[in-house]
Amino acid sequence: MTLNFARTAAACLLLFAASLSAQLTHTWVSATGIDATCTGAVAKPCASFNTAAILTAAGGMISVLGPGDYGAITITKSLTIDGTGGGSIGFAGDAEGIYVNPSASVNVVIRNLTVDGGGTGSNAIYIASAGTANIVNVVIDGCHIEGFTNIGVGLASQSPTYVAVRNTAIQGGVLGVRTFQGTTGHDHVTLDHVTVQGATNAGVFTRNGNMDITNSTISGNIGTNVAGIQADTSATLNVQSSMITGNTNGVCIFASSTAVLGSSTTVADNATNIEACGGSVGGSGSAGPSPKL
């Protein structure tokens, strides 16, 4: 009995090792794929991003063969997900569409995807890492993020985290973009050619992090005490060539935080353009009069 068990265990280990060695650097998903029998190759694509990720080597890429909803995914290693051709992620309930949670340093690229919570999904893209020595790099490029109820792009990591969001639209939820770390302040987020609209708490919120916003529009974030941009607890914001318009409060910077509004940034047509929240707002950006309500 013991010998048979040992042989079975050894066989399982060999199969596991074989599966790892068979991982591809480029895998594919398709609306007609079958997870149970897929290899990830073009000839035998998977039906979901999660299954394809198991078959993809660290540092590899998952691509789509055509339009489809390829399901929520948890990313634990360096990986590129390219939705060019109609890739989307639908998710629902108290869950994430994309959950980045590595145990080591990673480089993750999320490109040309629609991430849609359908009005019930909690967080569209959420980045977390418990290892304080890990370096987490994430690029979100050419995406459309909508239908979430809580956070569009969220960071809550103990690791040094560098996130670049480019050419992306974020619509709805409580917070469009949220960084929230402890006192170490090692987030660095860049938003370039990003639109953030329709949040019910803040379009962009950062705590203890550094954020650069360029060529972006933060608008239509409306409700009691809602801000287009809000910084808290030793956050630093640099806003260049951007529009902050049509929000309840345009810019709200709390004590110990700082915002610089570049000369080509416009803060106008908000109920209150610059709210007196106790922090420092500098620069030569254009701030028009607040409209009368």
Side-chain angles (χ1 to χ4, degrees):
M1 182 71 70
T2 302
L3 182 60
N4 287 338
F5 177 80
R7 286 175 175 170
T8 302
C12 289
L13 287 172
L14 286 172
L15 287 172
F16 179 69
S19 68
L20 290 179
S21 66
Q23 286 182 319
L24 304 177
T25 57
H26 195 173
T27 59
W28 300 82
V29 293
S30 168
T32 59
I34 301 172
D35 277 346
T37 58
C38 73
T39 64
V42 172
K44 297 189 72 174
C46 299
S48 69
F49 284 135
N50 247 345
T51 300
I54 295 170
L55 300 172
T56 307
M61 176 186 294
I62 304 172
S63 297
V64 306
L65 286 170
D69 177 357
Y70 297 107
I73 180 171
T74 296
I75 299 174
T76 60
K77 59 188 174 185
S78 292
L79 189 67
T80 295
I81 301 178
D82 188 348
T84 303
S88 66
I89 289 176
F91 67 104
D94 186 18
E96 287 76 33
I98 300 174
Y99 185 44
V100 180
N101 189 25
S103 58
S105 297
V106 293
N107 296 298
V108 173
V109 178
I110 300 163
R111 186 164 61 215
N112 298 332
L113 276 172
T114 295
V115 185
D116 188 350
T120 68
S122 181
N123 303 314
I125 301 175
Y126 202 80
I127 301 161
S129 178
T132 57
N134 301 337
I135 298 175
V136 179
N137 293 292
V138 179
V139 174
I140 300 166
D141 190 7
C143 292
H144 192 89
I145 300 169
E146 62 184 9
F148 57 94
T149 61
N150 193 24
I151 301 171
V153 176
L155 286 74
S157 174
Q158 296 178 26
S159 304
T161 304
Y162 303 87
V163 177
V165 186
R166 304 191 294 248
N167 309 307
T168 290
I170 302 170
Q171 176 72 43
V174 175
L175 297 159
V177 177
R178 188 206 79 163
T179 75
F180 193 96
Q181 287 203 330
T183 57
T184 50
H186 43 220
D187 276 340
H188 195 134
V189 178
T190 62
L191 309 180
D192 183 55
H193 288 91
V194 172
T195 61
V196 182
Q197 297 178 317
T200 59
N201 186 294
V204 176
F205 174 90
T206 182
R207 174 174 291 175
N208 285 326
N210 301 310
M211 183 177 292
D212 294 311
I213 302 174
T214 56
N215 305 304
S216 295
T217 300
I218 316 296
S219 67
N221 302 287
I222 299 172
T224 303
N225 296 322
V226 175
I229 295 176
Q230 183 171 314
D232 188 16
T233 316
S234 302
T236 302
L237 277 165
N238 178 27
V239 187
Q240 303 289 334
S241 304
S242 294
M243 297 285 293
I244 305 170
T245 63
N247 307 285
T248 302
N249 299 306
V251 177
C252 174
I253 309 301
F254 283 92
S256 302
S257 293
T258 302
V260 174
L261 307 178
S263 59
S264 53
T265 289
T266 299
V267 184
D269 297 324
N270 305 282
T272 300
N273 287 321
I274 308 294
E275 185 181 8
C277 296
S280 172
V281 179
S284 54
S286 171
S290 299
K292 294 181 180 180
L293 298 180

